Amino acid sequence: MINLRQVALVAALLVFLIRQISASGGDQSQFFQNCLKSCVMGNCTKSGLTFKRSLAGTQNPINKLLLWTCYDECGYDCMWRTTSAFLKRNWTTPQFYGKWPFVRLAGLQEPASVVFSMTNFATHYHMLKRFRREVRPDSPMYTLWQVFSYICLNAWIWSTVFHARDFPITELFDYTFAYSMVLASFYCMVMRMIHRRSKYLKGIFSLACIVFFVNHFSYLSVGRFDYAYNMKANIVTGMTGAAGWIFWCLMQRRKRRYVWKCFLFVVLATSSLLLEINDFPPILWTFDAHSIWHLVTAPLTVLFYSFIIDDCRSLRQELYGDGPEDMRKLL
């Protein structure tokens, strides 16, 4: 029979360990808290938004433009003081509010992620222009892939904004619109499979995805942000979409020689998520696993767009044919 005292001791030990783990965060350390309190009292007004009159002109104009408050400036300074104290004691590099310490550049909170998010935006924009140039508007799936591109462009805009300055609203938009890309990929996968089916079926599925995303966005917008739910939604949708694309590629590999591009994209994109799992302190206090993941996804985008260009061309050829007589009908 289990001794209740033993259970109580185990429970107490677990609570102690959890507290120890929780206390390992840099922002929860007493050193950081004391530093922050002292800095705010000595430099900031009561609201913490602005500097005291005697220090009003000391803030970098770019930081002020990007809405760095006096409290934020104190937090940034104390973050580095705390990090230095941790490393001098040979402790692991601490995180602050769930993030690694990053060197600020031109007021940007995570400069590498900002640049690489912009790189992804530029890649999508360039490939969208190529798609429009090489694929005729009357091709099957043409409009759908354009919508997909717009969703991705919007997501990378908010990724750039969020990594530039982390506010609750920018975090919400970054996380939810990042999920919109995952959901859009899943949606396009299903639509590609059923594109010859009735408009009624496609309409029902489209409506279901829209309603689900609106509900997803609404849920995360109210109250405290539910990171666990958001992560589960991304994993389930992403893995289902990836499995669906791989299955479709394997089924189509003989008929459509170009599907290797989609297959390779899915495999590489999924593999790149290992960077997110195996996180590490930022190299040169700038390049962490997340920013490098953003860098890796940019060239993969070219591969995927190359696939959808080939696929739209193939579908159009199947629909209209490619003989001279068929071509004349299109003129």
Side-chain angles (χ1 to χ4, degrees), residues 9 23 86 94 120 129 134 143 169 175 239 267 315 319:
L9 287 172
F86 269 55
N120 275 277
K129 290 175 64 177
E134 298 185 14
T143 301
I169 187 66
Y175 278 63
M239 291 298 101
V267 171
L315 290 175
L319 181 63

Side-chain angles (χ1 to χ4, degrees), residues 197-261:
R197 302 297 178 90
S198 68
K199 292 183 179 180
Y200 177 78
L201 176 62
K202 291 187 285 187
I204 291 295
F205 179 69
S206 299
L207 181 62
C209 287
I210 292 172
V211 170
F212 179 81
F213 179 74
V214 170
N215 181 70
H216 175 84
F217 186 91
S218 301
Y219 173 72
L220 293 176
S221 302
V222 179
R224 189 173 182 178
F225 193 91
D226 193 338
Y227 294 97
Y229 160 75
N230 183 67
M231 180 63 71
K232 290 176 183 177
N234 274 277
I235 291 174
V236 172
T237 308
M239 291 298 101
T240 304
W245 276 120
I246 289 175
F247 172 78
W248 180 83
C249 289
L250 293 175
M251 296 297 293
Q252 297 288 327
R253 67 187 186 280
R254 293 182 179 177
K255 182 180 179 182
R256 307 179 191 280
R257 299 291 184 181
Y258 56 84
V259 297
W260 68 267
K261 298 178 182 179

Side-chain angles (χ1 to χ4, degrees), residues 150-162:
Y150 294 143
I151 290 173
C152 293
L153 289 171
N154 176 66
W156 286 115
I157 288 173
W158 286 108
S159 175
T160 302
V161 173
F162 169 68

Side-chain angles (χ1 to χ4, degrees), residues 241-315:
W245 276 120
I246 289 175
F247 172 78
W248 180 83
C249 289
L250 293 175
M251 296 297 293
Q252 297 288 327
R253 67 187 186 280
R254 293 182 179 177
K255 182 180 179 182
R256 307 179 191 280
R257 299 291 184 181
Y258 56 84
V259 297
W260 68 267
K261 298 178 182 179
C262 179
F263 181 86
L264 183 60
F265 167 80
V266 173
V267 171
L268 293 178
T270 304
S271 300
S272 70
L273 292 174
L274 292 173
L275 286 168
E276 291 287 271
I277 299 172
N278 299 308
D279 199 11
F280 51 82
I283 301 169
L284 302 177
W285 303 114
T286 303
F287 306 98
D288 68 329
H290 184 71
S291 66
I292 295 174
W293 175 64
H294 282 330
L295 175 64
V296 169
T297 56
L300 295 182
T301 302
V302 177
L303 185 63
F304 188 68
Y305 272 88
S306 179
F307 155 71
I308 65 176
I309 289 171
D310 289 343
D311 194 49
C312 284
R313 284 173 166 177
S314 176
L315 290 175

Side-chain angles (χ1 to χ4, degrees), residues 26-27 32 35-37 39-40 44 48 51 68-83 96-97 101-102 104:
D27 58 287
F32 177 82
C35 175
L36 184 62
K37 183 178 180 180
C39 179
V40 171
C44 306
F51 287 86
W68 285 85
T69 65
C70 180
Y71 185 89
D72 294 335
E73 295 283 8
C74 283
Y76 180 78
D77 181 64
C78 290
M79 175 185 73
W80 287 113
R81 291 175 183 269
T82 305
T83 300
F96 297 83
Y97 306 105
F102 291 97
R104 187 171 55 187

Side-chain angles (χ1 to χ4, degrees), residues 7 11 19 33 36 57 59-60 73 88 108 136 175 194 202 221 223 262-263 269 313 327:
V7 173
R19 287 179 177 174
Q33 292 296 329
L36 184 62
Q59 187 181 22
N60 186 312
E73 295 283 8
K88 283 181 180 179
L108 302 177
R136 293 186 60 166
Y175 278 63
I194 65 172
K202 291 187 285 187
S221 302
C262 179
F263 181 86
R313 284 173 166 177
M327 291 301 294

